Amino acid sequence: MFTRHPLNPLITPAHLRPSRPDYEVIGAFNAGAALVHGETILLVRVAERPIKSDPQWIVCPYLDASGEITLLRVHPDDSDYDTRDPRFVRHLPSGNVFLTSMSHIRCARSRDGVHFTIGDQPFLQAETPYEAFGVEDARITPLGDEYYINYSAVSSHGIATGLALTRDFQTARRHGIIFPPSNRDVAIFPRQVNGLYACYHRPMPGDFGAYSIWYATSPDLVRWGDHQVVVQGSRMGWDSGRVGGGAPPVWTEHGWLSIYHAADRTQRYCLGALLTDHDDPTRVLARSSTPIFAPELPYETDGFFPNVVFTCGATVIGDTLRLYYGASDETIALAEASLSELLETLRREPAP
Amino acid sequence: MFTRHPLNPLITPAHLRPSRPDYEVIGAFNAGAALVHGETILLVRVAERPIKSDPQWIVCPYLDASGEITLLRVHPDDSDYDTRDPRFVRHLPSGNVFLTSMSHIRCARSRDGVHFTIGDQPFLQAETPYEAFGVEDARITPLGDEYYINYSAVSSHGIATGLALTRDFQTARRHGIIFPPSNRDVAIFPRQVNGLYACYHRPMPGDFGAYSIWYATSPDLVRWGDHQVVVQGSRMGWDSGRVGGGAPPVWTEHGWLSIYHAADRTQRYCLGALLTDHDDPTRVLARSSTPIFAPELPYETDGFFPNVVFTCGATVIGDTLRLYYGASDETIALAEASLSELLETLRREPAP
């Protein structure tokens, strides 16, 4: 159903200058997307780490209490640390986690949606105590003539969701933490539902509960409540590990179309599609029983964290859905589908 | 500073009839408290379990998808289950958790605040999918002539916080989930702060982040946001495991007084006190450096889950703070302190 762009991956770490001379870019992925005055804008998650003099050591950058970047150095043989996951280390005596890279969000612009010019400087970067480990995975929702950006704010407080607002993608104003830890993968609807703002969000109840997509409403985009579960993973198969929001929902005549992510227990991430009721987005009209998009090509099956396709944003041009997706937590790629064909396929699924 | 009541524990499982003839009451603890027309009302967490024919088996009751109580039976030798914690079992292949008891909330009334008459029927019990494992730990906040009750809604979705409203403590109306999983220990302020409702809450970021007390505001008591950390645990000592809200804050002329709980890494639960700014309850004016109340007597150091004192509610009569607390997740006890003395002690603490 989806066709990969022949120039994939469109953006790789090699395309980006690091934000500091002593850093290297190791990932450019999970981008929010919007059409702004004819341009395609991506808010790219840029993961960087300090260039290592000794490649054996693991170095974890974070913002300390005084607002300075500090480095934690961990040797893989240090039995006080669990270093098995490439994305983080865990200090076993305290349970504290540190990330092996720090992400900021950078703005990329394109006239054709394929060839992007990427700034050298962060658009949003670690600044508050809730962002001490970085900011990640921006989603963009246009509302009026403003763009609301939600992003993961990561720190020793946990993974929370922050909100920022921009008009020009030059400067952004923060509006605080809208979902406390652990909660990410927030997808804000581009119009109100029954007089309230609406979103999907994905609480992470640790090892006590399931990782499902929830719905919430808000009068002001900052304060959210009346939380309800919408989509749960299955017991088996491609969505048995977790599900979570992807791109902000797209209004179609048949209902709200959402491209979401699902992972199995091996942490292979695929994408699914969901059609929900216009007036009650907790009501699922159709849901893909198999992935609509899965990691297949080398840049999706290999890389920093392999076997991942993950989306934070898509654009719609006529009947074409342009899905920007992160591949293997390392690069940004593009896949296109016919919106009407996607909806037709979805509506042929057995009723949920 | 606190004096235990000589009749402690005031309420024990032996005082309560089970809600069904085939159940036994194993805990009556963690009660919300309010003064209502001169009466003291406690909303008691009543933990029950099915009477076992074979005491060796562990039986976990839960509400199934059709709304019926179902029993999961687990043998302690079954290697598929982790049965070490008396409060739950974990199915290791799936990670799913089931509780060994189911709690409901029952209303207890007293003219003197010491001798309670307790109804035989639940006031709030498992009813929605978010409550399939029960409802726990009610807090009561009077606002106008209504009483807002927040409680832990526990299910395979995780531990969330629900809101209900009552005028008469006979019937309650639910207002949905106000904090998605994992979040509990919500303490709603009894008056607005700067034109918004306010609360402390305690997200549980799994093993990624710290268990701290956060502040949030709301226009309608259902939708909450602008989350900020207020109190964190320390690295060592009595509050090194977690901190969380206790009784709803009490307005005093010196600031908001909150009695909160803290646990160390051995899961010994003590109580601390906090004084915060009237107009900005994220600003800590004073905080107890040592516990103001700790488990010492046998009913606090022994019991279902030993070494726990935990409060969900207190009343204020003149200068007396009557602290109702759960002891060892099994009984309800009362300790009294002079409010002015407590504030005086707090204000002698070193500045935070």
Side-chain angles (χ1 to χ4, degrees):
Chain A
M1 195 172 351
F2 277 90
T3 308
R4 287 171 175 82
H5 198 278
L7 293 180
N8 273 355
L10 300 187
I11 301 176
T12 74
H15 292 123
L16 277 78
R17 277 202 205 138
S19 65
R20 292 163 47 140
D22 53 341
Y23 274 23
E24 58 182 339
V25 175
I26 60 167
F29 58 117
N30 296 3
L35 288 175
V36 180
H37 306 307
E39 271 192 328
T40 300
I41 289 202
L42 297 183
L43 289 182
V44 178
R45 172 175 171 187
V46 179
E48 298 178 311
R49 67 180 175 201
I51 296 169
K52 294 188 249 188
S53 47
D54 181 345
Q56 227 206 326
W57 285 74
I58 299 163
V59 181
C60 299
Y62 64 97
L63 208 66
D64 68 17
S66 68
E68 294 294 312
I69 298 286
T70 305
L71 304 179
L72 171 78
R73 288 167 208 279
V74 176
H75 196 279
D77 294 342
D78 187 338
S79 61
D80 269 0
Y81 287 89
D82 181 346
T83 61
R84 288 171 297 175
D85 193 303
R87 298 169 300 180
F88 59 83
V89 303
R90 183 183 301 281
H91 183 237
L92 294 169
S94 66
N96 292 346
V97 165
F98 294 87
L99 302 191
T100 54
S101 65
M102 184 182 270
S103 290
H104 65 265
I105 290 163
R106 215 180 280 194
C107 191
R109 294 165 186 271
S110 171
R111 295 231 161 262
D112 63 4
V114 173
H115 299 86
F116 284 89
T117 308
I118 310 164
D120 286 346
Q121 288 308 310
F123 172 70
L124 272 179
Q125 64 182 326
E127 200 175 289
T128 79
Y130 307 105
E131 302 166 357
F133 295 169
V135 291
E136 305 177 351
D137 296 358
R139 272 91 171 173
I140 309 168
T141 300
L143 279 159
D145 56 355
E146 299 180 306
Y147 297 88
Y148 286 83
I149 299 158
N150 66 262
Y151 60 94
S152 300
V154 188
S155 73
S156 62
H157 298 298
I159 302 169
T161 293
L163 183 70
L165 198 158
T166 190
R167 287 169 177 273
D168 54 12
F169 289 93
Q170 308 278 349
T171 58
R173 202 168 70 245
R174 280 174 171 79
H175 286 260
I177 297 297
I178 59 172
F179 286 94
S182 292
N183 202 314
R184 69 191 315 172
D185 300 325
V186 172
I188 298 175
F189 287 59
R191 47 173 100 171
Q192 291 196 341
V193 177
N194 296 318
L196 290 168
Y197 297 103
C199 81
Y200 292 132
H201 63 99
R202 211 285 301 283
M204 290 176 280
D207 53 4
F208 190 92
Y211 285 40
S212 308
I213 298 175
W214 292 58
Y215 178 73
T217 54
S218 171
D220 59 6
L221 290 155
V222 170
R223 297 172 181 87
W224 295 88
D226 199 11
H227 306 278
Q228 297 172 65
V229 171
V230 181
V231 173
Q232 297 181 255
S234 68
R235 276 176 184 275
M236 312 264 286
W238 66 289
D239 60 353
S240 56
R242 55 181 62 194
V243 292
V250 173
W251 194 96
T252 76
E253 59 174 320
H254 299 293
W256 290 104
L257 173 69
S258 297
I259 312 294
Y260 67 95
H261 73 263
D264 64 15
R265 290 174 193 277
T266 70
Q267 304 215 60
R268 178 174 183 261
Y269 281 76
C270 295
L271 299 175
L274 193 68
L275 194 67
T276 50
D277 186 82
H278 281 143
D279 298 319
D280 176 10
T282 68
R283 199 159 79 82
V284 176
L285 305 176
R287 176 182 174 186
S288 47
S289 50
T290 53
I292 59 162
F293 197 68
E296 285 168 14
L297 293 199
Y299 56 91
E300 298 158 351
T301 57
D302 292 316
F304 181 74
F305 196 81
N307 286 313
V308 172
V309 292
F310 189 97
T311 186
C312 295
T315 59
V316 176
I317 298 172
D319 186 52
T320 303
L321 181 80
R322 293 187 137 177
L323 182 75
Y324 294 93
Y325 65 97
S328 295
D329 281 11
E330 189 169 322
T331 61
I332 293 172
L334 169 61
E336 295 185 339
S338 152
L339 202 52
S340 52
E341 200 185 301
L342 181 57
L343 287 167
E344 201 48 54
T345 311
L346 252 184
R347 295 171 69 214
R348 279 198 302 269
E349 292 280 356
Chain B
M1 195 171 353
F2 277 91
T3 308
R4 286 170 175 83
H5 198 279
L7 292 181
N8 272 357
L10 299 187
I11 301 176
T12 74
H15 292 122
L16 277 78
R17 277 202 204 137
S19 65
R20 292 163 48 140
D22 53 341
Y23 274 22
E24 58 183 338
V25 175
I26 60 167
F29 57 117
N30 297 2
L35 289 174
V36 181
H37 306 308
E39 270 192 329
T40 300
I41 289 202
L42 296 184
L43 288 182
V44 178
R45 172 174 171 188
V46 179
E48 298 178 310
R49 66 180 176 202
I51 295 170
K52 295 188 248 187
S53 46
D54 181 345
Q56 228 207 325
W57 285 74
I58 299 163
V59 180
C60 299
Y62 65 96
L63 208 66
D64 68 17
S66 67
E68 293 295 312
I69 298 285
T70 305
L71 304 179
L72 171 77
R73 289 167 208 279
V74 176
H75 196 278
D77 294 341
D78 186 337
S79 61
D80 268 0
Y81 287 90
D82 181 346
T83 61
R84 286 171 298 176
D85 193 303
R87 298 169 300 180
F88 60 83
V89 303
R90 183 183 301 280
H91 183 237
L92 294 169
S94 66
N96 292 347
V97 166
F98 294 87
L99 302 191
T100 55
S101 64
M102 183 182 271
S103 290
H104 65 265
I105 290 163
R106 214 179 281 194
C107 191
R109 294 165 186 270
S110 171
R111 295 231 161 262
D112 63 5
V114 174
H115 300 85
F116 283 89
T117 307
I118 310 165
D120 287 346
Q121 289 307 311
F123 172 70
L124 273 179
Q125 64 183 325
E127 202 176 288
T128 78
Y130 307 105
E131 301 167 356
F133 294 170
V135 291
E136 306 178 351
D137 298 358
R139 272 92 170 173
I140 309 169
T141 301
L143 279 159
D145 56 354
E146 298 180 306
Y147 297 88
Y148 286 83
I149 299 158
N150 65 263
Y151 59 95
S152 300
V154 187
S155 74
S156 62
H157 297 299
I159 302 169
T161 293
L163 183 71
L165 197 158
T166 190
R167 287 169 177 273
D168 55 12
F169 290 93
Q170 308 277 348
T171 58
R173 202 168 71 245
R174 280 173 171 79
H175 286 261
I177 297 297
I178 58 172
F179 286 95
S182 293
N183 202 315
R184 68 191 315 173
D185 301 325
V186 172
I188 299 176
F189 287 59
R191 46 174 100 170
Q192 290 195 341
V193 177
N194 295 319
L196 290 169
Y197 296 104
C199 80
Y200 292 134
H201 64 98
R202 211 285 302 282
M204 290 177 280
D207 53 3
F208 190 91
Y211 284 42
S212 308
I213 298 175
W214 292 58
Y215 179 73
T217 54
S218 172
D220 59 5
L221 291 155
V222 170
R223 297 172 182 87
W224 295 88
D226 199 11
H227 305 277
Q228 297 173 65
V229 171
V230 180
V231 173
Q232 296 181 256
S234 67
R235 276 176 185 275
M236 312 265 286
W238 66 290
D239 59 353
S240 56
R242 55 180 63 194
V243 293
V250 174
W251 194 95
T252 76
E253 59 175 320
H254 299 294
W256 289 105
L257 174 68
S258 297
I259 312 294
Y260 67 95
H261 73 264
D264 64 15
R265 290 174 194 275
T266 72
Q267 303 215 59
R268 179 175 183 260
Y269 280 76
C270 295
L271 298 175
L274 194 68
L275 194 67
T276 50
D277 186 82
H278 281 143
D279 298 320
D280 177 9
T282 68
R283 200 160 78 83
V284 176
L285 306 175
R287 176 182 173 186
S288 47
S289 51
T290 54
I292 58 163
F293 197 69
E296 284 168 14
L297 293 197
Y299 57 90
E300 298 158 350
T301 57
D302 293 317
F304 181 73
F305 197 80
N307 286 313
V308 172
V309 293
F310 189 97
T311 186
C312 294
T315 59
V316 175
I317 299 172
D319 186 51
T320 302
L321 181 81
R322 292 186 137 177
L323 182 76
Y324 294 94
Y325 65 97
S328 295
D329 282 10
E330 189 169 323
T331 62
I332 293 172
L334 169 61
E336 294 185 339
S338 153
L339 201 53
S340 52
E341 202 184 301
L342 181 57
L343 287 168
E344 200 48 53
T345 311
L346 251 184
R347 296 171 71 213
R348 280 199 302 268
E349 291 279 357

